[in-house]
Amino acid sequence: MAFLSDSLARVKPSPTIAVTTKAAELKAAGRDVIGLGAGEPDFDTPDNIKDAAKRAIDTGKTKYTPPDGIPELKQAIVDKFARENALTYTPGQISVGTGGKQVLYNALIATLNPGDEVLIPAPYWVSYPDMVLLGGGEPKIVETGIETGFKMTPGMLEDAITPKTKWLIFNSPSNPSGAGYSAAELKGLTDVLMRHPHVWLMTDDMYEHIAYAPFEFATPAQIEPRLFERTLTVNGVSKAYAMTGWRIGYAGGPEELIGAMRKIQSQSTSNPCSISQWAAVEALNGPQDFIRENCETFRRRRDLVVSMLNAIDGIECPVPNGAFYVYPSIAGLIGKTSAGGVLIEDDEAFATALLEETGVAVVFGAAFGLSPNFRVSYATSDTALKEACGRIQAFCDGMR
Ligand SMILES: Cc1ncc(COP(=O)(O)O)c(C=O)c1O
């Protein structure tokens, strides 16, 4: 009898964590490493949010809570969905979890049966396919490309749907490409979903607030209200409020699904951290101005990185309209050899040689299901970004 589960054998450890670990090892060995791998804002959590957490501790809000969130946070989420997304949820249609990651995971575990297919446009956030596999389902990757701005077209979606399709996992703006779907592009996709009533939509809106004008964020159920009954709208406080370590994510969806997710949470983590929940109440109800200011900083960094990378021979870097990542293509460098003697046969070889030879840590595209590319997170200082892009330029210029 095998000790480890069959479902565990189907998944791999997170490749983004592997890159971060390797970078940390080199740093510990005294190397000058610039990490462009982390998927988190470099800003500090705002003081009003920290103060709300301190108050929660001081007033004894340190006990178990209802499994999927305190009423005050559910109400703040209901208000947020109404205010920002024109979506009308009731508190019974809200689930709060330990990060958006747990919310997505709960939804998949709660609904997947063997053979169920889940459509995932590539490039995708690394965890989607593995979460589907852990849930016993089959990830079906819909490959996009630089030609469509890394976006799935209605035709691609239509072709990928089968009678076994249970979910489409949708993410805009996207990690890793930063691609954001306009309202018109969303309508094209929701029209396809309207023709296939057995397909549910899990929309991961985690980067909603990191969106650069003229692009405007929209969520699918807002564009097509008839999809509301089979949509799970997932969001969280990690990215917009610089709260990655607090671990609060949430979703709105039909009551039956939310109840099923609650059941799983009650038998796994019991509830998200009580103190973090009170901090999230303040995040959602408190001042929102700093979001726009942070977004402006990210836009400046995006422009800096895009222009520096596009100046390099062999690299093509589309301009993303959201999130804090760029996803350049290195098609023009495949087959070359680095100054350190490494044959750049794929994007993993590129990222590995880049780290070893220049100390710049990026994540290779294969980790996100679309090659040959790499992901840069520009959620770091302008100085570090300039230095890193300079090193990438020297690395590429040094290839034969
Ligand atoms: C696309 C996407 N979805 C979900 C998450 C999960 O965020 P959290 O669990 O911190 O809420 C992340 C984090 O990197 C992400 O990039």
Side-chain angles (χ1 to χ4, degrees):
M1 186 179 70
F3 177 59
L4 297 178
S5 71
D6 292 345
S7 63
L8 187 72
R10 303 178 80 202
V11 306
K12 58 183 182 329
S14 163
T16 42
I17 291 178
V19 171
T20 316
T21 310
K22 174 86 180 153
E25 275 170 19
L26 288 175
K27 214 168 195 165
R31 288 280 305 278
D32 168 21
V33 173
I34 306 177
L36 304 181
E40 60 182 354
D42 55 325
F43 309 122
D44 199 10
T45 306
D47 285 342
N48 63 310
I49 300 175
K50 290 187 197 169
D51 290 342
K54 290 174 198 163
R55 272 197 308 279
I57 295 174
D58 290 341
T59 54
K61 298 199 165 88
T62 51
K63 304 285 202 279
Y64 291 129
T65 76
D68 58 358
I70 54 174
E72 292 82 352
L73 181 51
K74 289 192 175 188
Q75 188 57 49
I77 294 165
V78 164
D79 296 345
K80 179 262 178 251
F81 277 133
R83 182 177 70 235
E84 298 187 336
N85 310 113
L87 296 177
T88 309
Y89 287 109
T90 62
Q93 295 173 314
I94 301 295
S95 181
V96 183
T98 302
K101 198 171 205 170
Q102 193 195 15
V103 173
L104 292 160
Y105 183 76
N106 286 347
L108 291 167
I109 298 289
T111 55
L112 292 179
N113 288 311
D116 286 348
E117 296 178 357
V118 179
L119 300 182
I120 304 173
Y124 46 69
W125 181 47
V126 288
S127 296
Y128 300 143
D130 291 283
M131 284 183 181
V132 170
L133 289 168
L134 279 173
E138 302 298 329
K140 294 287 164 192
I141 307 305
V142 184
E143 213 171 275
T144 71
I146 205 162
E147 329 72 59
T148 60
F150 301 116
K151 289 183 227 177
M152 179 173 65
T153 63
M156 291 175 188
L157 175 60
E158 183 79 61
D159 290 349
I161 292 174
T162 76
K164 291 182 179 170
T165 308
K166 183 163 269 180
W167 285 103
L168 162 66
I169 303 185
F170 181 77
N171 175 217
S172 165
S174 147
N175 175 4
S177 71
Y181 290 69
S182 67
E185 288 165 333
L186 281 179
K187 184 72 172 74
L189 297 177
T190 58
D191 283 352
V192 175
L193 292 177
M194 286 311 296
R195 290 197 287 277
H196 299 276
H198 66 291
V199 181
W200 282 58
L201 176 63
M202 195 177 292
T203 176
D204 178 346
D205 296 352
M206 203 56 72
Y207 294 94
E208 164 177 11
H209 292 105
I210 306 169
Y212 311 117
F215 169 72
E216 277 180 30
F217 172 85
T219 193
Q222 178 185 7
I223 299 297
E224 178 45 272
R226 289 174 299 167
L227 271 182
F228 184 77
E229 284 307 317
R230 51 184 164 111
T231 297
L232 185 71
T233 307
V234 182
N235 211 318
V237 294
S238 286
K239 315 288 175 175
Y241 300 93
M243 291 177 71
T244 47
W246 299 75
R247 310 307 303 127
I248 296 292
Y250 57 84
E255 239 167 83
E256 189 188 359
L257 172 60
I258 295 294
M261 291 162 62
R262 183 185 312 123
K263 196 163 157 188
I264 291 172
Q265 196 146 291
S266 74
Q267 295 294 16
S268 53
T269 59
S270 284
N271 61 262
C273 168
S274 60
I275 301 153
S276 298
Q277 289 190 63
W278 283 102
V281 171
E282 173 62 21
L284 295 177
N285 289 346
Q288 307 288 308
D289 325 347
F290 67 92
I291 295 182
R292 198 166 321 122
E293 288 157 25
N294 289 356
C295 201
E296 265 317 301
T297 305
F298 282 137
R299 175 204 277 275
R300 202 187 56 242
R301 294 173 178 172
R302 175 200 68 170
D303 293 345
L304 170 75
V305 170
V306 168
S307 72
M308 285 191 80
L309 292 178
N310 271 330
I312 302 174
D313 265 357
I315 289 189
E316 182 187 355
C317 185
V319 185
N321 33 27
F324 39 69
Y325 310 102
V326 290
Y327 199 63
S329 162
I330 54 157
L333 299 172
I334 297 297
K336 294 194 169 187
T337 302
S338 74
V342 175
L343 173 65
I344 307 301
E345 52 185 355
D346 54 24
D347 51 33
E348 185 164 4
F350 174 87
T352 309
L354 181 70
L355 179 56
E356 306 235 313
E357 295 178 31
T358 74
V360 175
V362 298
V363 186
F364 55 93
F368 307 101
L370 195 84
S371 293
N373 293 72
F374 66 98
R375 187 192 78 172
V376 165
S377 163
Y378 53 84
T380 191
S381 73
D382 294 28
T383 316
L385 290 171
K386 276 184 202 152
E387 171 65 21
C389 290
R391 290 191 202 178
I392 297 173
Q393 165 116 44
F395 175 72
C396 297
D397 289 351
M399 286 186 194
R400 295 181 304 276

